[in-house]
Amino acid sequence: MKGILFKTTLAAVPRYQNIWQTVLSLVIAVATVCPLQSQLTEKGHAGDSPPAGQSAKRAGLSAKDPKTPAAELVQRAEEMIEKKDYSNALTLLRNAATLAPEDADVHHYLGYTLLQTEQVSAAKKEFEIALRLNPENFYTEYFLGFIAFSQGDFNQASRHFEKLIATNHPVYDTYQRLSQSYMRLGNLSKAMTMTQAALQETPWDGPLHFQLGRIYQKLGRGTEARAELATAERLNRADRDSIRELRELSEAIGAGQRDRAVELYNSMLGQFAGEPELLSSLGILLGDRGQYDEALQPLRLAAELEPNSYEDQF
């Protein structure tokens, strides 16, 4: 693959202010959504389930060295959380809170576990205590914003999420939820900006494209609205296996795995034959990663299959 820069990480790839950025706003760039990224409903609203299913450390939880009885209980609770054994985790954490009532980590763990068991009011109280004891824990800040959002307090939710962005810690779906908060508050301009920021992180997220399309509609930006809604529709039609392979290619390029990237690229060219939308997705994904030479072949094939496709010809 002549043009692939396998030593370039995804984080280092610039968002080019040229043809590829224009194309990306019109067509699909496919992968899968991070498991912690809460999905939008078909109407474009953020879901109400808290981030879960990942390690406790990814929830801002990291047990201290078990040098005290409370720390030992927290470490054991973390193991229970990893196994989704929230009942036993709660017992351990309540005992830890009794032993160390001023330990912010204990209250954060307890809030997280209560939230996973849908004890929202109790979880909120624990997170508030944790944030008072440690105002710099941005995961605690996120979960308080999440709870406010789920309870319909969009002013309070936006304040929590704005703080995360201001301190450069937009964890999980901060941009998405802040954009939704702004939408509920009627601030479409800020909602648009935050949705665009969310798409910079997950350009493959169809519901986010749908959300942005609806915002554009309300702002009277018809051309951009149609492009975003068309992208959302394309994403909805993409099959899971194809999305998985495109994601793997993106990850292989980012990790500098040249042989794996070449293997996936050649495989997909064959598998996607006769599928203009998938070929277009492959081309746009490569273009967005700066691999212009390789992007041209699938785009040409897609244009041959759909000569009237504006996106592919563009």
Side-chain angles (χ1 to χ4, degrees), residues 41 47 62 66 106 174 189 254 288 296 307 310:
T41 67
S62 183
V106 170
T174 294
S189 179
D288 187 50
L296 288 175
Y310 170 79

Side-chain angles (χ1 to χ4, degrees), residues 253-275:
I253 295 173
Q257 298 171 353
R258 184 183 185 282
D259 291 344
R260 179 57 175 162
V262 172
E263 177 186 0
L264 288 167
Y265 175 79
N266 290 330
S267 173
M268 283 187 280
L269 280 180
Q271 291 179 33
F272 294 175
E275 299 288 344

Side-chain angles (χ1 to χ4, degrees), residues 221-290:
R221 297 167 63 166
T223 300
E224 291 160 297
R226 287 190 291 274
E228 291 298 331
L229 294 175
T231 298
E233 184 178 354
R234 286 191 175 209
L235 275 164
N236 290 336
R237 290 200 298 264
D239 66 88
R240 290 180 180 272
D241 288 340
S242 299
I243 289 175
R244 176 181 53 78
E245 291 178 343
L246 286 161
R247 180 206 65 203
E248 289 178 2
L249 175 61
S250 177
E251 292 175 349
I253 295 173
Q257 298 171 353
R258 184 183 185 282
D259 291 344
R260 179 57 175 162
V262 172
E263 177 186 0
L264 288 167
Y265 175 79
N266 290 330
S267 173
M268 283 187 280
L269 280 180
Q271 291 179 33
F272 294 175
E275 299 288 344
E277 291 179 356
L278 292 175
L279 287 167
S280 178
S281 299
L282 174 58
I284 297 307
L285 176 63
L286 289 166
D288 187 50
R289 298 296 180 255

Side-chain angles (χ1 to χ4, degrees), residues 144-163:
L144 283 170
F146 171 86
I147 290 171
F149 182 95
S150 67
Q151 293 178 332
D153 188 350
F154 302 114
N155 279 306
Q156 184 62 36
S158 64
R159 284 191 285 271
H160 287 295
F161 296 138
E162 285 168 349
K163 184 177 178 180

